[in-house]
Amino acid sequence: MAKRLVIIDTDCGIDDAQALMMALAAPDLQVLAVTCVFGNTAVENVCQNVLRVLDVCERQEIPVFRGSAGPLVGARRTPGDHFGTDGLGDVFKDQDPQWEEKIQSEHAVNAMIRLVTEQQQQVSLVALGPLSNLALAVRLDPGFPQKLRDLFIMGGNMEGKGNVTLCAEFNFAMDPEAAYVVLEDFLCPTSLASWEYACRNALTWDFFQELIGQNFPAAVFMRTITSRCWAFSQESSSSSSSSRDVPRNKREVFFGPGFVSYDAYAMAACIDGGVVTDSVECPVRVELQGSLTRGMLALDRADELKKSHAVRVLTRCDPDRFRRMLLDSVRLPRDRV
């Protein structure tokens, strides 16, 4: 059986690294390229982070392309330091002096269009960061979405609960116009792993310790990049802690404690459709005008928008299948067939 062809568009933070390793570990997947976009950190850091992951997994043959350094409109928002200023927990002091030579000279958007055009209806696109590269692709080639096999997005929200603004999820808030363009113009089969989907399918911290506690190079890498990151601290997610010095993020307030590797949920859905056990199909739209709701995803369950295209919004996953995929992702490198 031919392997499923995939392009991964990422703003490589810690959870993106986990998702990328998940794709590299999947025996039925062939990663054609990794395209980089700003988001968790500057696009230059994203490129270096992707190269680090590929080095750890001994997959340096996969081409990496630099893409959008900012949103379609306006100045780039400050991403904060959820995953550290460099996106990987600020644990690496060394920098490869030749990293730019390892990045392809072709722009990520051009590469994306070229690769999909060469193999129409065969390539799945997994978008793990702001959707700027995808929006530019459809503007350069309006037929681009129809050439895709399907699209998987990590981003947006189902209930107006935001994690960086009052009502918007991070990836959509970083480039609302791009999110709007993609969800209006991409008419290919589209699956969306929202912020709430990830949070409601959180895993235990005991599993997280099992995940990073192995001796494979990829597991050691994950243990290293999460070692100083508050987002991967059990203390930060302890519902029993009463100390005012312990920060509580919005996920903990809304959904309770648990280990959540956000981007891995979208990747898992691409790798194995059986990991998704429930979803909602309906038209969606990204709000651009509201002073409090800019970047929020609206689900049109009542068909008020009269759109012809529906999106599959994921709601529930099989935790056992998801755990197995995560465990496989850190058992790298290993012999490849």
Side-chain angles (χ1 to χ4, degrees):
M1 182 182 296
K3 292 188 176 184
R4 183 172 190 166
L5 306 181
V6 175
I7 295 173
I8 300 170
D9 189 69
T10 178
D11 61 339
C12 197
I14 293 175
D15 57 338
D16 303 72
Q18 184 87 73
L20 179 53
M21 291 191 297
M22 184 181 279
L24 299 177
D28 298 328
L29 228 64
Q30 179 182 344
V31 180
L32 291 177
V34 181
T35 53
C36 301
V37 65
F38 82 101
N40 284 312
T41 184
V43 71
E44 292 78 13
N45 290 335
V46 172
C47 292
Q48 294 176 74
N49 294 347
V50 170
L51 291 174
R52 286 186 187 275
V53 175
L54 296 180
D55 282 344
V56 168
C57 299
E58 298 182 0
R59 297 297 301 274
Q60 297 92 336
E61 80 279 4
I62 295 174
V64 180
F65 299 86
R66 177 166 23 187
S68 300
L72 300 187
V73 178
R76 184 168 74 91
R77 289 173 57 96
T78 302
D81 60 354
H82 187 69
F83 294 142
T85 57
D86 69 351
L88 292 184
D90 294 323
V91 296
F92 300 111
K93 302 305 178 187
D94 61 311
Q95 183 181 68
D96 182 353
Q98 297 179 310
W99 73 267
E100 288 192 89
E101 298 174 18
K102 298 177 182 179
I103 302 299
Q104 303 296 310
S105 59
E106 186 179 16
H107 192 278
V109 176
N110 293 331
M112 192 182 289
I113 294 171
R114 174 179 57 80
L115 290 167
V116 170
T117 300
E118 289 172 353
Q119 302 180 86
Q120 296 188 32
Q121 304 297 319
Q122 298 180 57
V123 180
S124 297
L125 178 54
V126 183
L128 305 177
L131 299 177
S132 314
N133 286 340
L134 279 68
L136 288 173
V138 73
R139 287 296 183 254
L140 287 174
D141 179 4
F144 175 74
Q146 285 69 44
K147 299 174 186 176
L148 286 169
R149 171 176 172 170
D150 45 23
L151 169 63
F152 295 84
I153 297 171
M154 191 282 132
N157 49 2
M158 295 185 286
E159 301 166 4
K161 296 174 182 177
N163 60 355
V164 290
T165 67
L166 185 63
C167 295
E169 176 274 334
F170 176 85
N171 284 342
F172 282 23
M174 293 297 280
D175 195 344
E177 278 74 19
Y180 179 93
V181 167
V182 169
L183 289 171
E184 294 297 315
D185 292 359
F186 277 63
L187 304 183
C188 57
T190 300
S191 298
L192 193 146
S194 71
W195 182 55
E196 294 99 332
Y197 172 66
C199 294
R200 286 212 167 91
N201 290 280
L203 302 175
T204 67
W205 285 110
D206 286 342
F207 173 78
F208 173 70
Q209 292 301 327
E210 178 186 359
L211 185 71
I212 65 172
Q214 302 174 78
N215 291 322
F216 297 93
V220 173
F221 179 76
M222 285 303 299
R223 185 159 68 243
T224 301
I225 63 179
T226 57
S227 61
R228 293 170 53 188
C229 183
W230 195 254
F232 291 90
S233 167
Q234 283 185 255
E235 183 184 10
S236 72
S237 291
S238 173
S239 59
S240 62
S241 174
S242 59
S243 171
R244 294 184 181 181
D245 295 329
V246 176
R248 285 174 57 77
N249 62 42
K250 292 183 180 180
R251 178 183 61 78
E252 295 154 23
V253 172
F254 289 138
F255 304 103
F259 161 57
V260 182
S261 185
Y262 299 96
D263 292 320
Y265 291 86
M267 186 62 71
C270 175
I271 295 169
D272 177 9
V275 78
V276 179
T277 59
D278 201 6
S279 61
V280 173
E281 291 225 14
C282 65
V284 299
R285 177 157 289 166
V286 177
E287 174 58 43
L288 297 180
Q289 303 303 321
S291 60
L292 297 179
T293 58
R294 177 171 160 77
M296 185 185 83
L297 181 70
L299 273 63
D300 181 19
R301 303 189 193 207
D303 195 28
E304 294 289 337
L305 298 174
K306 306 301 181 186
K307 294 178 67 174
S308 60
H309 176 56
V311 168
R312 184 176 69 136
V313 182
L314 313 183
T315 57
R316 188 178 303 169
C317 79
D318 180 330
D320 292 332
R321 260 179 158 155
F322 186 55
R323 279 191 290 265
R324 285 196 297 271
M325 295 168 76
L326 283 169
L327 287 171
D328 285 344
S329 76
V330 297
R331 291 167 178 163
L332 294 170
R334 59 176 175 238
D335 293 336
R336 303 199 301 275
V337 176

